[in-house]
Amino acid sequence: MNFDVRDSQNATSHFAPLVSVIIPTFNEFANVSKVAAAVGVALKGKDHEIVFVDDDSSDGTRTEVAKLAAALPGIRLIHRIGRRGLSTAVTEGMLSTTTPFMVVMDADLQHDEAIIPAMLSFLEADTADLVVGSRYVEGGGVGSWDKRRAQISAFATRLAKMVTKSDLTDPMSGFFAITRSAFDNSVRDLSGQGYKILLDICASSKSPLRIQEVAYQFRTRQAGESKLDALVTWEYLMLLADKLVGHIIPARFISFSLIGGLGVFVHMVVLSVLLATGLADFMAAQGLATVTAMVFNFFVNNTLTYRDRRLRGAREVIFGLFTFMLVCSVGAFANVGIANYLFANSHYRWWSAGLAGILLGAVWNYAATSIFTWRVRKRPSGA
């Protein structure tokens, strides 16, 4: 008996959604069913799917999504293990879909799902490639934000316009709708850093985007804890650096180098304290200062530069610290050796020879620790 795939297709209902709603989650157990219901009401009459992209939540978020998927058509889950970050989660979610239109929103119910039909109307009419839910156009608002948060957001928005080169009032928005072709036009150049995927898309697009904005009132989180912390500011600055000079110098290298500069400061403070208090002679003080600076650099880089590959647990951290110190020791020898060679055997002045040694050591440390300390680990992911 011959099997014809058309028989199978005719035997079951064919679900071909028009729009995919991408919702990244991390410990959003209390919100996923609410946001799914809200999106369902907003998109009633339009075939759609909701893709939850979960960064290995520990609060039962995935179990709740599984219940939704069993009860409702068009609910999907991508389970990410060993990697974190809103931007990369959104990108993976969008890449998993085939619909002509995609909407990105948060799971915390702060985005007003009621404006999604208005956003999609621009895409369906082919009058926009990207439609942004804006808090800053007439009719929009930031809800219960205090003055300090509003000022920080306004300053970040001004910085964002340096790289987007667009008239967007709210380039920091995490709520937008986009066509498949517009996303495909930028996805290969996305940096994947931080939380501001909209800014990344606008700055990475190979051609100008037709952009519209729809006003909405930013709401107060109903349940769970905010994922925003002080580290988000650093990630945002690194995203801007990547878009401004990333084609010349990787933003991660800039972060690594800046932290190395702080390590020099730590080294000198420890050295001066030990010598001033008479706790150690110069050789011992220099050794202790060097070890202290290396430990400082390791933990700060683990928190900031390699946040997406952060080493966790005692075993990973101890092994990572060992490889970091070993690699940086080699870098220190290379620094001294190259600087001494250039100064003794060429026309280099002492300062240029010293800078050359520092640069070589920094490049070595960055490249080698990326391979041996913060290497990309191949871990399973499920959907």
Side-chain angles (χ1 to χ4, degrees), residues 242-284:
D242 182 72
K243 292 306 168 188
L244 289 172
V245 298
H247 58 292
I248 303 172
I249 305 173
R252 206 187 291 268
F253 178 71
I254 295 174
S255 174
F256 190 89
S257 299
L258 289 173
I259 292 166
L262 289 176
V264 172
F265 176 77
V266 170
H267 179 114
M268 297 307 294
V269 168
V270 173
L271 179 62
S272 63
V273 169
L274 290 175
L275 292 177
T277 57
L279 294 175
D281 59 23
F282 181 81
M283 183 173 291

Side-chain angles (χ1 to χ4, degrees), residues 23-41:
I23 305 178
T25 60
F26 179 66
N27 291 340
E28 295 285 0
F29 169 82
N31 289 327
V32 289
S33 60
K34 295 177 183 177
V35 72
V39 170
V41 171

